[in-house]
């Protein structure tokens, strides 16, 4: 697909690591200008440092932003910076920002529940709301939103009531976006990753991951790049008739 996204501007939340970083790398490989947004600016800058420059003077046409997706003003500020630098809103928006606060329901605090909801679900909502408005006002053609859900949202998982509920909400927000924004030429899809090797899953004890492997038909943990390739497909014209889908990228989860 090399060069398939040339001429597109992509905004990726959670772009500082994991699936978000891989998404930035694959989208840039396909020719898109990339804005890596993360609440850890240093990580976002490091992501941009891994991307190839394209200007004749060696300057990168990619950029990094500090953003807290759970905060309206922070997301709005990021959009304003994009409009100032690129003179247009992005045509590709990828919601990768996500956290987990695992605990059993009886032990889970309100703060642990709210933190996950605020980033994973509210954050996705705010990014869609703010960026879709700009896309519609600027009549950006063929825009694509790609949201990161989770296989956990389908089956549930112990200690992840907050995470699973937040990701199930992301899928339902996606379906609403399709009903409200398709008339403006905006597509929106969800990806449901399974167990993917990222900084988040790397914190899971090895003995716990070993219990998961028998549930995966491919008998291995996935790579962030494998999710990123699907993101690039959904961002491109190759998926022009894919809208409102929830695509599982989980190696054949057998739960």
């Amino acid at each position: 697909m090399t060069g398939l996204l040339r001429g597109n501007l992509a905004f990726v939340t959670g772009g500082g690591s994991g699936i978000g970083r891989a998404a930035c790398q694959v989208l840039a490989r396909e020719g898109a200008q990339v804005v890596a947004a993360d609440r850890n600016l240093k990580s976002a800058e490091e992501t941009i440092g891994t991307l190839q420059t394209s200007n004749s003077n060696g300057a990168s046409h990619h950029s990094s932003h500090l953003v807290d997706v759970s905060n309206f003003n922070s997301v709005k500020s990021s959009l304003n910076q994009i409009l100032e630098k690129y003179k247009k809103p992005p045509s590709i928006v990828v919601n990768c920002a996500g956290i987990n606060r695992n605990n059993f329901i009886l032990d889970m605090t309100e703060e642990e529940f709210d933190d996950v909801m605020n980033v994973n679900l509210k954050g996705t909502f705010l990014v869609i709301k703010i960026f879709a408005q700009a896309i519609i006002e600027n009549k950006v053609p063929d825009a694509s939103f790609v949201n990161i859900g989770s296989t956990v949202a389908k089956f549930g998982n112990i200690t992840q009531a907050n995470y699973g509920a937040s990701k199930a909400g992301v899928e339902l927000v996606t379906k609403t976006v399709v009903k409200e924004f398709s008339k403006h030429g905006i597509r929106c899809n969800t990806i449901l990753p399974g167990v993917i090797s990222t900084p988040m899953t790397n914190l899971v004890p090895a003995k716990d991951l070993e219990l998961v492997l028998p549930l995966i038909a491919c008998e291995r943990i996935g790579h962030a790049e494998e999710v990123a390739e699907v993101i690039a497909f959904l961002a491109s014209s190759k998926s022009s008739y894919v809208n409102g889908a929830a695509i599982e990228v989980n190696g054949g989860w057998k739960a």
Side-chain angles (χ1 to χ4, degrees), residues 53-252:
T53 59
S54 66
N55 294 348
S56 58
N57 62 1
S60 176
H61 61 182
H62 309 298
S63 59
S64 56
H65 286 187
L66 175 67
V67 65
D68 174 2
V69 296
S70 69
N71 182 282
F72 180 95
N73 291 331
S74 180
V75 177
K76 183 69 171 178
S77 174
S78 192
L79 171 64
N80 290 339
Q81 292 175 58
I82 289 171
L83 294 176
E84 181 177 353
K85 178 178 177 64
Y86 297 99
K87 312 306 179 186
K88 63 180 180 180
S91 54
I92 299 166
V93 178
V94 185
N95 281 301
C96 286
I99 63 170
N100 61 12
R101 297 286 185 269
N102 294 351
N103 215 337
F104 292 100
I105 289 174
L106 295 183
D107 298 321
M108 186 176 291
T109 65
E110 284 188 70
E111 183 179 14
E112 288 171 333
F113 188 89
D114 290 343
D115 284 351
V116 171
M117 286 293 180
N118 284 337
V119 173
N120 298 2
L121 182 54
K122 180 185 175 184
T124 298
F125 160 75
L126 287 177
V127 171
I128 291 172
K129 173 182 173 67
I130 292 168
F131 279 79
Q133 183 71 47
I135 288 169
I136 293 168
E137 289 177 352
N138 287 271
K139 296 181 171 57
V140 176
D142 304 320
S144 176
F145 284 82
V146 182
N147 300 324
I148 301 300
S150 174
T151 297
V152 170
K154 294 190 66 175
F155 303 112
N157 194 30
I158 58 172
T159 75
Q160 291 191 312
N162 49 0
Y163 185 81
S166 70
K167 293 300 189 178
V170 166
E171 186 174 346
L172 289 177
V173 168
T174 297
K175 294 181 182 300
T176 302
V177 170
V178 170
K179 294 179 183 297
E180 295 186 5
F181 296 150
S182 290
K183 63 185 177 183
H184 298 291
I186 297 173
R187 292 185 299 112
C188 188
N189 293 285
T190 308
I191 295 175
L192 309 180
V195 184
I196 307 297
S197 180
T198 67
M200 186 183 296
T201 57
N202 290 344
L203 296 175
V204 178
K207 61 182 179 62
D208 292 340
L209 289 177
E210 290 175 2
L211 296 175
V212 173
L213 288 178
L215 301 177
I216 304 172
C218 285
E219 299 181 342
R220 66 172 176 85
I221 293 172
H223 303 295
E225 294 77 13
E226 293 174 304
V227 181
E229 294 290 353
V230 181
I231 291 173
F233 167 71
L234 291 175
S236 77
S237 60
K238 295 289 186 181
S239 62
S240 57
Y241 203 56
V242 182
N243 198 14
I247 300 177
E248 298 179 26
V249 184
N250 58 24

